Amino acid sequence: MRRDGILGDNVSSEASIGLGKNSKTWVKRREKWLVVLGVILHAVYMLSIFDIYFKSPIVHGMDPVKPRFSPPAKRLVLLVADGLRADKFFEPDEEGNYRAPFLRSVIKERGRWGVSHARPPTESRPGHVSIIAGFYEDPSAVTKGWKANPVEFDSVFNRSRHTFSYGSPDIVPIFCGALPHSTWKSYPHEFEDFATDASFLDEWSFDQFQSLLNNSKEDQNLEHLLKQDGIAIFLHLLGCDSNGHAHRPFSSIYLNNVKVVDHIAERVYNLLEGHFKDNRTAYIFTADHGMSDKGSHGDGHPSNTDTPLVAWGAGVKTPKPISGNHSDCGFRFVDEHSHDTPTPNEWGLDGIERVDVNQADISPLMSTLLGLPCPVNSVGSLPLDYIDFNEAEEVEAVLANTKQILNQFLRKSYIKQSHSMYFKTFKPLANYSMVLDKIEELISTKDYQSAMELSENLRKLALQGLHYFQTYDWMMLMTVVILGYIGWIFYLVVHVLQSYTGLPSQMMHKEEAVQTDNKMGKVYIFGSLLMGAFCIVLFIERSPPLYHAYTAMTVFLWTQIFSQYQFLNALLRSFQKEKFVYVIKLLAYCAVSLIVLEFLVYSFTERRLYTWCFLIAGIVAPLYLHRAIPWKSWIPGFVCISCWSLSIFTLMPAEIPDNTFLVVVSGALIILIGLAARWLELHYGENKYWQHILNPELTMLKFQMLFPLQAVLVGLSSVMVPLSTSHRTQKQELLVFHQLTNWFVAGFSMVLPLFSAPCLLSRLTSIFLGFAPAFLLLSIGYEALFYAALGLVLMAWILFENTNLYLSKVSRYSVSAKGVDEKASNENGNRSLELSDARIALIFMVLFNVAFFGTGNFASIASFEISSVYRFITIFSPFLMAALLIFKLFIPFMLVICVFSAITKLIRVPRLGLYFLVILFSDVMTIHFFFLVRNTGSWMEIGNSISHFGIMSAQVVFVLLLFALTNIYTKDIQIKSAASLSRKSV
């Protein structure tokens, strides 16, 4: 069979006529160009999410705002109990005793308390950044690793005269590692041992601080430094976090750690008060995040976002009886929790006013207590209910906080305005200078209440303005990218209609083609001018280079589309002439396609949907087949059983448990499936329902002992699985002979399908058996059964399409008894694509995704269970091990694509045409995933949203490469002459 196109496909002659150039070489060249364009386009647009969703909120160039009041504290102590849940801190133990007696006495006698609300991702670094620097973690950090500083930012420690810090090596160096006016120390990473009680890490931090004070008695310079104002002391207490991960937050070890941090807070307080005796020390105790019941954190559950906050000492108000009214009822914190959340009765603090804050509000609180400028990028609002100031000082403190946030807004506004040809200002702050003047006037006349109201309102507007400029380019960028994706989809539709359907020859005329070149030239000139104009505007605005790429790609695509306006006009005229029934049919196909694609989108987060999908398919498909095929043919029953057998796997856990017995059973089942296929070849060759996929003339042409050899190799691999595993479980080295046997069986079996008969069923059965040994040797449990079940469903798909083909031919030749050749077919036998062929692409996408999610997915820990590679290699080699694991994941994909290729040959349609339909449908899903990308939430949620978008964007390359790889196995599959089979059927 002659092969054309980059994937070994034939392009129909009739389709080629409509292009205006009959040369198949030109068609082949155009297809190559289209694939290259698709790869470039998806690579460029994939980067757009980092300009839209993950743009740094940090801006530099602002001057700090020096407060106009005397600082109440000379030094401040920040105690952060990493991973401490609010409820475990405040509630009593089983005996009714509270776990933090000292801090409870502070709450009742000398300080203020509340719950600090953290914004997801509730991880250690983002939590500490919001506490100490006053802003919520730069979303771009998710792409750069959260333990490294993605940007330089200001913090309370930067503004202090000197900072003393002790604690974890993951946290302390972030804030003090490059700070010249700091003294810090962290313990080695080896100390963080989950097998022990980690509370000793908290004791280590306290001991270092105690040693500092002891050394100051002999070191005059150190003593002088400690007595200066603006001193910050930071103790990072990691024990609760480590014990929560290792032992869960309900364990006695974690709960005892709460007592440890309370005791450390008491000793720190006694040490400092005894050392300085000046009552000029402020204390803040809090946590960066909580801990879920499972010993993890990261998401927005209250157990992770709610952390304790206790403040006392110099400049902090004393306890206040609870008041029934809140001035800001209806306000929601950054974790979306209500301001008026009731205090649980078991906390025993009902009578004392609770003041909840956003985590970023702690930073301006610390700065105000020390009389320091707020960190220049802080977005926290000063919680006045914690500050013991008179009315004039309160106004000055809030005004300093407001000016600092306003300065960020003005800086972002200036940068954007200086780069924009058409600048849209943030109108609510257009008269900010007048408001500031009014506030100063009110302060001078001692109308502090009015000045406070204006200051707080101005601060809220400044925060809104920061968000306005953070998302200033969103609408433009999202419009350009979405138009680009839509243009690409439209361009693919035009290409498929022109190259793979009979529409061009029906609609276009030779005289129209002569006039096309002139008008196409005008379209290209206009497109070039438009692209140039956009590039000039973006250059003047100093936009990033990728902005140029997004715009140029979009303009280029739409220029290509409008260059085909002659064909589009003819298509529109043809569509208007169609009957109403055809329009309804077209709309129905579009609606069903969108429903299937939306189903696939949601299946990325809920894989159990596939269970319902195959349960329903196991009912609908057999009923459809039963209309024309009697049940005694057992084809409808086989389709039902195979679909239902595959439905159970997406209900199973992604963490695959070890079960060698299941792998052995799977090997036996695979051999039985192969035997059944072989029996069909020998006994059903002349059956009218099987004649398209069986060809007795081709079945016996090649190596006669191939099937027994493949069955033996599958059986051998099944035996080698428990044999190899037993050595590992007995802590024995895998014998070299066993390793070589496994490598030989896996490698040799994948070569054998090339020697199988070119009959469709023979070749696919051989491919199924050929990849089975490698998959079995890389399996640890039920995923080996999934391989067998997937093979059955793929066979059911072939039978379904074969039946459809048989019914369509009987219907067609009963109308035309002359037995003419298939319509729209060329000399190679391929016909043009029809509307109903869209189902092939949709079914392929469903099965392709099932191969992806059937036993987990690429991001699943279970999918990367490293123990399976020990059957091939025992010495640690990360690249080889990763290659083996990825190959295991690719095997189901290759089975699906081999069957897809065989079906295109069976129904005689160009495979590349259906490939373009697959990419078209994939990009509809890509647009949806584009809107689902998240820049808030847990790191896992953010990462998953990026990976889902990236996976769909990469399918243009991924599927193409697998097509090219599997074409080695499927290129010489031969199908009987369609015409002869159809006549024979009739």
Side-chain angles (χ1 to χ4, degrees):
M1 180 177 288
R2 201 176 78 187
R3 296 184 293 117
D4 297 299
I6 63 173
L7 293 179
D9 294 298
N10 296 290
V11 180
S12 71
S13 299
E14 187 176 354
S16 299
I17 295 172
L19 294 171
K21 294 184 179 182
N22 294 331
S23 172
K24 292 185 181 180
T25 303
W26 184 85
V27 173
K28 180 179 177 181
R29 190 162 56 243
R30 181 182 181 183
E31 289 168 348
K32 285 184 177 180
W33 152 247
L34 193 61
V35 171
V36 171
L37 175 65
V39 172
I40 296 173
L41 177 142
H42 287 81
V44 170
Y45 284 165
M46 199 185 301
L47 298 174
S48 67
I49 61 171
F50 300 107
D51 283 320
I52 297 172
Y53 295 103
F54 300 98
K55 198 169 185 178
S56 172
I58 303 301
V59 63
H60 299 285
M62 298 84 67
D63 294 326
V65 179
K66 190 173 182 180
R68 299 181 300 193
F69 55 83
S70 300
K74 293 182 65 174
R75 67 199 68 86
L76 179 138
V77 179
L78 173 64
L79 303 170
V80 178
D82 202 309
L84 176 58
R85 279 170 56 154
D87 56 348
K88 299 306 173 188
F89 175 78
F90 290 116
E91 70 186 16
D93 58 21
E94 295 177 353
E95 298 177 358
N97 300 319
Y98 291 99
R99 302 185 182 97
F102 169 72
L103 290 171
R104 287 187 69 84
S105 68
V106 168
I107 292 171
K108 292 181 176 181
E109 299 168 8
R110 61 173 79 99
R112 305 307 302 270
W113 79 284
V115 171
S116 170
H117 296 267
R119 192 186 83 169
T122 46
E123 301 284 352
S124 292
R125 177 198 159 92
H128 284 86
V129 168
S130 60
I131 291 170
I132 300 169
F135 71 93
Y136 298 105
E137 177 64 317
D138 175 8
S140 67
V142 75
T143 66
K144 302 177 181 179
W146 71 269
K147 289 186 179 181
N149 265 339
V151 291
E152 294 297 328
F153 55 79
D154 194 18
S155 72
V156 175
F157 298 163
N158 290 35
R159 297 293 161 192
S160 68
R161 184 182 299 274
H162 199 89
T163 295
F164 299 91
S165 180
Y166 304 99
S168 167
D170 293 329
I171 299 300
V172 172
I174 291 177
F175 301 94
C176 300
L179 194 64
H181 55 277
S182 67
T183 301
W184 62 277
K185 190 175 181 181
S186 60
Y187 41 78
H189 281 285
E190 292 75 20
F191 279 26
E192 300 177 26
D193 186 356
F194 287 167
T196 62
D197 182 354
S199 61
F200 80 94
L201 299 176
D202 302 342
E203 295 289 353
W204 183 94
S205 298
F206 172 76
D207 291 342
Q208 298 300 314
F209 175 66
Q210 186 176 37
S211 298
L212 175 77
L213 291 183
N214 292 336
N215 293 338
S216 68
K217 296 176 182 179
E218 301 176 359
D219 188 337
Q220 295 299 320
N221 292 331
L222 178 58
E223 179 68 14
H224 177 73
L225 179 59
L226 284 169
K227 289 185 177 180
Q228 298 288 313
D229 57 359
I231 300 298
I233 299 166
F234 171 43
L235 297 187
H236 177 250
L237 310 175
L238 185 64
C240 287
D241 184 74
S242 296
N243 284 328
H245 287 311
H247 309 288
R248 307 294 184 269
F250 288 94
S251 66
S252 59
I253 293 179
Y254 179 91
L255 298 176
N256 181 69
N257 209 143
V258 179
K259 300 177 182 179
V260 171
V261 296
D262 177 76
H263 189 44
I264 287 175
E266 180 180 16
R267 286 183 286 167
V268 167
Y269 172 75
N270 292 334
L271 272 175
L272 287 171
E273 295 304 311
H275 186 89
F276 293 106
K277 300 176 183 177
D278 57 1
N279 295 322
R280 294 291 303 280
T281 306
Y283 303 87
I284 291 180
F285 176 89
T286 188
D288 55 347
H289 57 75
M291 182 72 63
S292 73
D293 293 345
K294 295 181 179 180
S296 62
H297 52 83
D299 60 27
H301 191 274
S303 63
N304 290 328
T305 60
D306 291 358
T307 61
L309 175 62
V310 182
W312 75 99
V316 180
K317 286 182 178 178
T318 54
K320 179 182 177 181
I322 192 169
S323 58
N325 298 320
H326 290 287
S327 59
D328 52 353
C329 290
F331 170 79
R332 287 191 172 272
F333 294 101
V334 291
D335 57 359
E336 297 299 324
H337 297 166
S338 171
H339 177 270
D340 296 319
T341 302
T343 301
N345 292 330
E346 59 268 22
W347 289 9
L349 298 171
D350 295 342
I352 305 173
E353 186 178 59
R354 165 182 167 181
V355 183
D356 286 11
V357 300
N358 285 321
Q359 197 170 61
D361 299 342
I362 298 175
S363 175
L365 172 61
M366 293 191 294
S367 298
T368 301
L369 290 173
L370 287 173
L372 302 173
C374 291
V376 294
N377 289 116
S378 170
V379 295
S381 299
L382 177 65
L384 280 177
D385 289 327
Y386 280 85
I387 303 293
D388 188 17
F389 278 1
N390 60 41
E391 202 171 10
E393 290 174 329
E394 283 185 349
V395 172
E396 291 291 354
V398 171
L399 182 58
N401 181 209
T402 299
K403 286 180 177 179
Q404 170 267 322
I405 296 175
L406 184 63
N407 281 351
Q408 293 182 69
F409 164 80
L410 295 175
R411 181 61 180 169
K412 287 195 172 186
S413 178
Y414 170 76
I415 293 173
K416 183 55 67 176
Q417 186 174 8
S418 63
H419 294 167
S420 299
M421 294 181 65
Y422 174 69
F423 175 71
K424 294 183 292 182
T425 186
F426 184 65
K427 294 181 180 179
L429 284 177
N431 61 342
Y432 75 92
S433 58
M434 295 174 58
V435 177
L436 285 176
D437 293 339
K438 182 64 175 177
I439 294 172
E440 294 292 350
E441 180 183 341
L442 291 171
I443 292 175
S444 63
T445 59
K446 297 187 179 181
D447 188 356
Y448 298 125
Q449 184 175 356
S450 298
M452 180 68 74
E453 291 176 359
L454 278 179
S455 296
E456 291 182 336
N457 184 58
L458 184 61
R459 180 176 61 191
K460 291 178 183 178
L461 290 176
L463 289 170
Q464 294 174 15
L466 286 177
H467 182 263
Y468 172 79
F469 285 113
Q470 181 68 21
T471 60
Y472 188 86
D473 292 331
W474 277 27
M475 184 59 67
M476 182 272 290
L477 288 175
M478 294 185 80
T479 301
V480 169
V481 173
I482 294 302
L483 282 176
Y485 275 119
I486 294 174
W488 167 251
I489 292 171
F490 208 111
Y491 191 40
L492 280 181
V493 171
V494 171
H495 175 73
V496 170
L497 290 177
Q498 286 183 331
S499 304
Y500 299 104
T501 69
L503 288 174
S505 62
Q506 298 171 18
M507 299 184 304
M508 304 296 287
H509 302 284
K510 292 181 180 179
E511 58 271 16
E512 291 176 339
V514 174
Q515 302 172 2
T516 301
D517 290 338
N518 269 341
K519 297 180 179 179
M520 282 177 59
K522 294 179 181 179
V523 172
Y524 283 125
I525 291 173
F526 179 78
S528 300
L529 292 174
L530 186 63
M531 189 183 299
F534 279 127
C535 288
I536 291 172
V537 171
L538 292 173
F539 181 77
I540 293 173
E541 293 188 347
R542 303 179 190 176
S543 299
L546 280 174
Y547 283 30
H548 293 260
Y550 307 145
T551 307
M553 189 70 71
T554 301
V555 173
F556 173 79
L557 282 169
W558 284 101
T559 301
Q560 292 294 318
I561 292 169
F562 284 114
S563 71
Q564 303 292 330
Y565 74 96
Q566 193 76 26
F567 174 78
L568 296 176
N569 282 336
L571 181 64
L572 182 61
R573 289 196 301 270
S574 175
F575 185 74
Q576 290 172 344
K577 295 176 183 177
E578 291 289 346
K579 295 180 180 179
F580 181 71
V581 175
Y582 177 81
V583 176
I584 294 298
K585 182 180 178 182
L586 178 62
L587 292 176
Y589 268 96
C590 292
V592 171
S593 298
L594 285 175
I595 291 172
V596 172
L597 295 177
E598 286 301 298
F599 165 83
L600 292 175
V601 168
Y602 287 106
S603 71
F604 271 68
T605 53
E606 186 52 65
R607 56 195 286 262
R608 293 186 178 185
L609 288 173
Y610 288 108
T611 297
W612 290 105
C613 172
F614 283 98
L615 286 175
I616 295 171
I619 298 173
V620 175
L623 289 177
Y624 172 80
L625 294 175
H626 185 56
R627 292 188 312 162
I629 297 182
W631 284 99
K632 64 182 180 180
S633 72
W634 63 261
I635 293 177
F638 174 77
V639 172
C640 176
I641 293 171
S642 60
C643 288
W644 286 1
S645 67
L646 189 63
S647 67
I648 62 176
F649 289 94
T650 45
L651 292 176
M652 294 183 177
E655 294 79 13
I656 303 173
D658 286 346
N659 193 326
T660 306
F661 175 74
L662 281 181
V663 180
V664 176
V665 170
S666 302
L669 183 59
I670 290 169
I671 294 173
L672 287 176
I673 294 172
L675 284 170
R678 183 62 178 165
W679 183 81
L680 287 173
E681 288 180 338
L682 297 176
H683 296 85
Y684 272 68
E686 298 299 326
N687 186 288
K688 60 183 179 180
Y689 301 122
W690 296 86
Q691 58 190 357
H692 294 87
I693 61 174
L694 297 178
N695 192 343
E697 299 172 3
L698 298 174
T699 303
M700 302 298 180
L701 290 180
K702 294 199 176 183
F703 184 41
Q704 297 294 328
M705 295 299 295
L706 180 64
F707 175 79
L709 178 59
Q710 288 191 294
V712 167
L713 291 175
V714 173
L716 182 58
S717 63
S718 301
V719 173
M720 291 303 298
V721 167
L723 193 60
S724 302
T725 305
S726 64
H727 283 76
R728 180 170 59 86
T729 54
Q730 295 171 11
K731 297 183 180 181
Q732 298 176 359
E733 291 186 9
L734 185 62
L735 298 177
V736 176
F737 174 74
H738 289 171
Q739 282 183 268
L740 293 176
T741 301
N742 293 340
W743 278 105
F744 174 78
V745 169
F748 183 60
S749 64
M750 288 187 291
V751 177
L752 292 179
L754 298 175
F755 300 96
S756 63
C759 171
L760 186 146
L761 184 59
S762 297
R763 178 56 57 89
L764 292 180
T765 303
S766 184
I767 292 171
F768 174 73
L769 294 174
F771 284 107
F775 195 85
L776 290 173
L777 287 167
L778 288 167
S779 296
I780 62 170
Y782 75 79
E783 78 270 36
L785 285 173
F786 170 78
Y787 181 86
L790 180 64
L792 290 176
V793 168
L794 292 174
M795 186 62 210
W797 184 22
I798 294 172
L799 293 177
F800 181 84
E801 295 299 336
N802 181 56
T803 303
N804 263 340
L805 181 64
Y806 168 75
L807 295 176
S808 66
K809 291 183 185 300
V810 170
S811 174
R812 183 175 303 163
Y813 281 91
S814 63
V815 174
S816 177
K818 296 180 180 180
V820 295
D821 289 344
E822 300 290 327
K823 69 174 183 177
S825 63
N826 64 10
E827 66 273 15
N828 290 316
N830 274 359
R831 63 172 174 82
S832 298
L833 287 179
E834 299 173 353
L835 186 60
S836 60
D837 293 325
R839 77 177 184 281
I840 307 295
L842 290 173
I843 294 174
F844 168 78
M845 292 191 67
V846 171
L847 292 173
F848 196 79
N849 279 272
V850 167
F852 191 86
F853 290 108
T855 56
N857 55 59
F858 284 130
S860 170
I861 296 174
S863 298
F864 289 92
E865 175 56 56
I866 199 170
S867 61
S868 60
V869 304
Y870 293 154
R871 296 159 193 163
F872 291 94
I873 182 172
T874 55
I875 300 173
F876 181 69
S877 177
F879 293 106
L880 181 56
M881 289 178 171
L884 288 170
L885 291 171
I886 292 173
F887 177 70
K888 172 192 173 183
L889 297 174
F890 274 13
I891 290 175
F893 295 134
M894 290 193 285
L895 282 185
V896 175
I897 290 181
C898 284
V899 171
F900 175 81
S901 300
I903 287 175
T904 61
K905 290 178 177 290
L906 175 69
I907 63 176
R908 301 184 183 278
V909 294
R911 182 171 64 165
L912 193 56
L914 285 179
Y915 162 75
F916 285 130
L917 285 182
V918 169
I919 298 306
L920 186 154
F921 290 143
S922 296
D923 283 323
V924 174
M925 294 174 61
T926 302
I927 293 175
H928 193 143
F929 281 120
F930 179 76
F931 289 106
L932 293 179
V933 174
R934 299 185 57 177
N935 59 1
T936 59
S938 69
W939 289 123
M940 183 178 69
E941 292 168 334
I942 294 172
N944 282 344
S945 70
I946 296 174
S947 65
H948 293 165
F949 174 73
I951 287 167
M952 295 311 302
S953 297
Q955 280 207 7
V956 66
V957 179
F958 180 61
V959 175
L960 184 68
L961 291 176
L962 288 179
F963 270 152
L965 182 62
T966 56
N967 195 52
I968 299 172
Y969 293 98
T970 60
K971 63 183 178 181
D972 57 349
I973 290 179
Q974 296 180 29
I975 308 294
K976 279 186 177 181
S977 169
S980 63
L981 283 172
S982 300
R983 294 191 198 99
K984 187 174 181 181
S985 299
V986 176

